[in-house]
Amino acid sequence: MADHNPIDHLIGLLARLPGFGRRSARRAALKMLMQPDQAMLPLAAALQAAAAAVQPCRICGNLDAANPCGICRDPQRDQGLICVVEGVSELWALERAHAHRGLYHVLGGTLSALGGIGPEDLAVQPLLARIEAGSEPVREVILALPATVDGATTAHYLTDRLRPAGVAVTRLAQGVPIGGALDVLDEGTLAAALKARRAV
């Protein structure tokens, strides 16, 4: 039976990964099977080590082998600046851009009436507790949330909750990307760009 075939099982597991379909999973499996010592065994060892060591940071929610994570422990980071993101993938994307030198806070999602996700399902209370109990006062909270209805709803909710703390709350700019042609952008992006225009 196919379920007992280790090759089919490997392809099936790879096909579940983001960005992999059946065809790319087959190509990856074949490459690893052709060179098990160079490709497959080191990958298996790395997966096992990561599964045993990596955990969510108790402060920000990032994934790291250390707890608190390397970002939270870095004394060079601006302790008065917290960037709130939906998930770890957004945190990693901002880190790749080297554009943020403050701290982060992973919400674990966005508010969604249709999805049944309320404030109690997100890491909102830990964010408020960080701001209240921080050894260094937080000056600004940047809401780096998706430009969706759920992202906007979450941003409004967090702004209301953060207002009593007396911190500045900002949002990422939205609109025309660098190198973007106007005739290929959707109407929502164009409307956001016009709304967020600034003097030159």
Side-chain angles (χ1 to χ4, degrees):
M1 290 178 66
D3 289 345
H4 298 296
N5 184 323
I7 296 175
D8 288 341
H9 185 59
L10 174 62
I11 292 169
L13 290 174
L14 289 171
R16 294 182 194 172
L17 297 173
F20 272 73
R22 256 338 248 186
R23 184 180 298 171
S24 53
R26 273 195 298 274
R27 281 198 305 267
L30 181 60
K31 178 72 173 172
M32 288 189 287
L33 290 166
M34 297 292 285
Q35 300 177 320
D37 291 340
Q38 292 84 28
M40 184 172 275
L41 296 178
L43 176 61
L47 288 169
Q48 190 170 15
V54 174
Q55 57 190 305
C57 174
R58 66 176 180 263
I59 297 173
C60 73
N62 185 23
L63 293 175
D64 201 332
N67 201 348
C69 71
I71 294 173
C72 288
R73 288 183 290 111
D74 185 353
Q76 302 301 313
R77 293 275 179 167
D78 184 346
Q79 305 291 308
L81 191 59
I82 296 178
C83 183
V84 177
V85 293
E86 179 181 9
V88 176
S89 61
E90 290 80 11
L91 187 158
W92 289 3
L94 286 166
E95 279 299 284
R96 281 195 311 272
H98 303 289
H100 178 64
R101 291 304 302 160
L103 302 175
Y104 292 94
H105 187 83
V106 177
L107 276 182
T110 54
L111 296 174
S112 172
L114 292 176
I117 300 171
E120 65 283 353
D121 300 310
L122 305 178
V124 175
Q125 277 310 127
L127 172 63
L128 299 173
R130 281 180 74 181
I131 292 168
E132 289 172 14
S135 56
E136 188 173 317
V138 175
R139 302 182 318 275
E140 181 182 353
V141 173
I142 304 167
L143 303 179
L145 299 171
T148 61
V149 172
D150 290 345
T153 301
T154 307
H156 288 302
Y157 175 80
L158 289 175
T159 302
D160 288 343
R161 293 298 308 272
L162 291 166
R163 190 170 286 123
V167 297
V169 180
T170 58
R171 260 194 103 176
L172 292 184
Q174 299 168 359
V176 179
I178 293 174
L182 296 183
D183 61 345
V184 297
L185 297 175
D186 64 275
E187 292 82 5
T189 301
L190 286 170
L194 279 169
K195 197 172 182 181
R197 66 190 183 278
R198 60 176 190 250
V200 293

